[in-house]
Amino acid sequence: MTASETASSRRGLREWLRGGLGDPKLGDNPWLLAFAAFAIFTGFAGDFWRNLTSWYGFGAVSLAVLVGAVVILINKRPLPRLHHLPFPLLLFMAWCLASTIWSAYWPETLLASLVQLVTVVVGLAIAVTLTRPMLLRALSLAMRTIVGMSLVFEVIVEAFFPNGVFPLYMLAPGVLESLTGDPGATFETAPPGFKWSHGHIFSGAAIQGIVGNRNLLAMIALLAAIAVTVQLLSKQLGRWNALIWLVLSLATVLLSRSMTVIVACGVVAFAALLIWIARPLRTRHRWMLYGAVAVAMVVCGAIVARFHADLFALINRSSDMSGRGDIWWAVTQLAWEHWLAGLGWISYWAPWVEPFKGMLVVDGVQYLQAHNAYIDVWMQTGLIGVVPFVLLVITTLIRTWWLAIDGEQYRDNRIPHSAMLAFLVMVALTVQSLTESRLLVEGNWLLLSSLAISSKLRVQDLPALPRRTLPAMTGPITVIDASTLEPRPIPPTEDLLLPDSAQCHTGGDVDGPGGGRPDTPRRSSTDGT
């Protein structure tokens, strides 16, 4: 290898490290980044581990992630106190666990509550240890890895397995017969929905990727596109590297043929436009913007309700959104029977439990979700559970919005590009929650809980307007400063600006021009921090 080739290889490695595991010179901890990226990968690619290694293998991987999170939290001092965490999150978790008392399937309810709690613990570890640029790198690395592996996987299946492939654990004797309920079932007679991938990447039909689900793959690709775009603006990725991944991510969205995610792409782009419009506006003008957006949403909703059949026909979809109307009706009828307290928490439905056993079967495949997170929560936890869950989503949206647009909380009012990541991710997850229940489980729940915690630690008071909080309320969180900058003296009686794990009044993000100085870790701030 020539000297020029060696230099080029080293530059490529440095580029990958900057975009993936970060740069230690900027205060990034490669081990924390690797943990966060692997945890997010496992959360969103749970079906990959299950299809490859069975539920036992997935359980082992999940246990490893939990152990890593616990080790991180044990070594993190000090930790946030309970009252610093989002109250709707705590209330919702407590109610899910309490539903074990009246649940007709209480062992499954208890197990589902513990799994939900474990996911929150992992989200907490990410929220209190990763700075905003580090979270951006971890999310991007995880999503790009899934997208890249999925495209390679689909090409291999198309080339060598033209009839598609089944999950490897189904090769074990008796598994396929048990899943289909047919003693003589074979891979030729099994329902197509059991396949891991159909291998349609070159035939024009939808692809499933390593996650085995086109809707989930499309959402992962959208999150990859969001992260890569923010990295490009923040100069975490080189231009050509970012553009290649952006094209691959958007191509994956199209190849997945998920109309929900295609709509979400438009909504996310509109949300990014709103951030750009709102940042320079004064508070009074922002309220005018909110009013205009609310009117536009009402008008669009009325148009969709009035002409939904024609609109869905234009995109070659049924007016009930591919059968979701029937699913929502069936689940709603069940929810009305237990409208106040619910049947009992179970997250994704256990197919062996009544009343979910055989409740919704389409083409031989049993559906295990309501395809709407809010209807699902209502059925399982009743109105009492829906209220804190909806509040959790709304408050996280509002807090991440203010973190994206309010320049007063950043040094010299310079908002780093990475500040928009959390809000855009929340918008994407919220749109998907209207037609999928993924927000309640695995990767979506991991991101929701982590962003809810991190945004609460930075914005203690839910702002209808930008607010400031006293040091005693902000709690112990990690703050970042740049040692080359002199901290601004703050009088004892002055309210402190809201601290941020990637930004406080003594430092800034690494986000290119206008983004401040490189991040370097420092000990925590006030109130015992």
Side-chain angles (χ1 to χ4, degrees):
M1 181 179 292
T2 64
S4 60
E5 290 175 338
T6 302
S8 177
S9 176
R10 289 176 178 174
R11 282 195 300 270
L13 178 60
R14 285 196 298 268
E15 175 68 24
W16 182 83
L17 288 173
R18 285 187 63 217
L21 295 181
D23 188 346
K25 294 180 180 179
L26 301 181
D28 293 335
N29 186 324
W31 293 107
L32 287 178
L33 279 167
F35 164 78
F38 185 75
I40 296 172
F41 175 92
T42 299
F44 280 90
D47 285 308
F48 164 73
W49 292 117
R50 290 189 286 269
N51 291 342
L52 186 67
T53 65
S54 78
W55 277 92
Y56 298 104
F58 172 69
V61 173
S62 301
L63 180 60
V65 172
L66 174 61
V67 170
V70 171
V71 170
I72 289 173
L73 291 175
I74 289 175
N75 289 278
K76 173 69 177 177
R77 288 290 184 272
L79 285 173
R81 302 183 183 92
L82 195 62
H83 68 274
H84 297 139
L85 303 180
F87 182 70
L89 175 63
L90 299 177
L91 184 59
F92 178 67
M93 293 295 300
W95 185 250
C96 289
L97 183 59
S99 67
T100 305
I101 299 173
W102 61 85
S103 173
Y105 40 85
W106 68 266
E108 286 79 8
T109 297
L110 180 60
L111 177 61
S113 299
L114 293 177
V115 170
Q116 209 80 354
L117 178 60
V118 165
T119 309
V120 172
V121 170
V122 177
L124 174 64
I126 293 174
V128 300
T129 56
L130 264 66
T131 63
R132 190 167 37 238
M134 290 169 67
L135 175 62
L136 173 59
R137 289 188 174 96
L139 178 64
S140 175
L141 180 60
M143 298 298 100
R144 285 185 288 134
T145 300
I146 297 176
V147 169
M149 291 178 63
S150 293
L151 294 176
V152 173
F153 176 65
E154 288 291 336
V155 170
I156 293 175
V157 173
E158 176 82 26
F160 300 102
F161 306 95
N163 295 323
V165 294
F166 285 82
L168 297 186
Y169 71 87
M170 290 188 183
L171 298 176
V175 173
L176 189 62
E177 292 85 346
S178 175
L179 292 174
T180 60
D182 180 6
T186 64
F187 290 115
E188 288 74 22
T189 61
F194 279 66
K195 291 183 179 180
W196 187 354
S197 171
H198 297 274
H200 288 159
I201 192 168
F202 298 129
S203 59
I207 65 173
Q208 295 80 38
I210 64 170
V211 295
N213 183 293
R214 66 187 181 94
N215 294 307
L216 177 55
L217 177 62
M219 175 53 61
I220 290 169
L222 173 55
L223 295 179
I226 293 172
V228 167
T229 302
V230 177
Q231 281 190 301
L232 176 61
L233 296 173
S234 305
K235 300 189 183 303
Q236 283 191 5
L237 279 180
R239 178 182 301 175
W240 289 110
N241 193 6
L243 291 177
I244 290 172
W245 278 110
L246 184 59
V247 169
L248 290 175
S249 299
L250 295 179
T252 302
V253 171
L254 296 177
L255 290 171
S256 301
R257 295 180 175 271
S258 172
M259 190 50 58
T260 296
V261 177
I262 291 176
V263 172
C265 287
V267 177
V268 168
F270 180 66
L273 177 63
L274 289 180
I275 292 174
W276 180 75
I277 294 175
R279 280 181 175 178
L281 296 181
R282 295 181 180 274
T283 301
R284 179 182 59 181
H285 297 144
R286 285 177 180 172
W287 280 108
M288 296 173 62
L289 175 66
Y290 302 152
V293 171
V295 171
M297 291 175 63
V298 171
V299 171
C300 290
I303 293 175
V304 171
R306 175 65 179 83
F307 303 103
H308 67 282
D310 297 329
L311 291 173
F312 283 108
L314 289 175
I315 57 177
N316 196 28
R317 290 293 191 275
S318 61
S319 59
D320 68 344
M321 302 182 70
S322 303
R324 284 176 172 83
D326 294 336
I327 296 174
W328 294 340
W329 173 258
V331 176
T332 301
Q333 297 308 302
L334 185 60
W336 274 116
E337 298 177 8
H338 307 271
W339 66 273
L340 184 60
L343 288 167
W345 178 249
I346 198 170
S347 63
Y348 260 28
W349 309 343
W352 60 86
V353 169
E354 296 291 348
F356 309 114
K357 184 178 181 180
M359 178 178 172
L360 297 170
V361 180
V362 179
D363 296 330
V365 178
Q366 184 169 346
Y367 279 66
L368 303 177
Q369 58 160 317
H371 280 281
N372 181 290
Y374 311 96
I375 296 177
D376 230 336
V377 170
W378 179 32
M379 179 192 67
Q380 297 180 38
T381 63
L383 181 63
I384 299 176
V386 168
V387 172
F389 179 75
V390 171
L391 286 176
L392 173 64
V393 174
I394 292 176
T395 53
T396 306
L397 276 168
I398 294 176
R399 288 183 177 123
T400 54
W401 164 256
W402 276 113
L403 289 170
I405 69 165
D406 187 25
E408 292 187 8
Q409 53 197 313
Y410 303 99
R411 185 175 180 84
D412 299 329
N413 287 333
R414 294 182 298 179
I415 305 177
H417 295 298
S418 60
M420 71 175 73
L421 175 70
F423 178 67
L424 296 181
V425 168
M426 277 301 305
V427 169
L429 296 180
T430 303
V431 173
Q432 188 194 31
S433 70
L434 300 177
T435 60
E436 300 284 337
S437 297
R438 283 277 176 180
L439 193 59
L440 308 178
V441 296
E442 297 190 337
N444 294 49
W445 176 250
L446 172 65
L447 285 185
L448 173 60
S449 59
S450 183
L451 294 177
I453 293 170
S454 62
S455 61
K456 173 70 186 301
L457 293 177
R458 293 146 180 76
V459 186
Q460 284 291 315
D461 297 318
L462 174 63
L465 297 172
R467 299 183 182 182
R468 301 181 179 187
T469 54
L470 295 174
M473 295 184 62
T474 59
I477 63 174
T478 301
V479 295
I480 302 296
D481 81 345
S483 58
T484 57
L485 298 177
E486 294 183 3
R488 189 186 73 169
I490 302 176
T493 58
E494 180 183 351
D495 288 355
L496 294 179
L497 289 179
L498 300 173
D500 188 312
S501 70
Q503 171 77 36
C504 75
H505 227 58
T506 57
D509 266 353
V510 186
D511 273 322
R517 292 280 192 140
D519 291 338
T520 53
R522 165 191 148 179
R523 290 186 301 180
S524 303
S525 65
T526 58
D527 192 22
T529 58

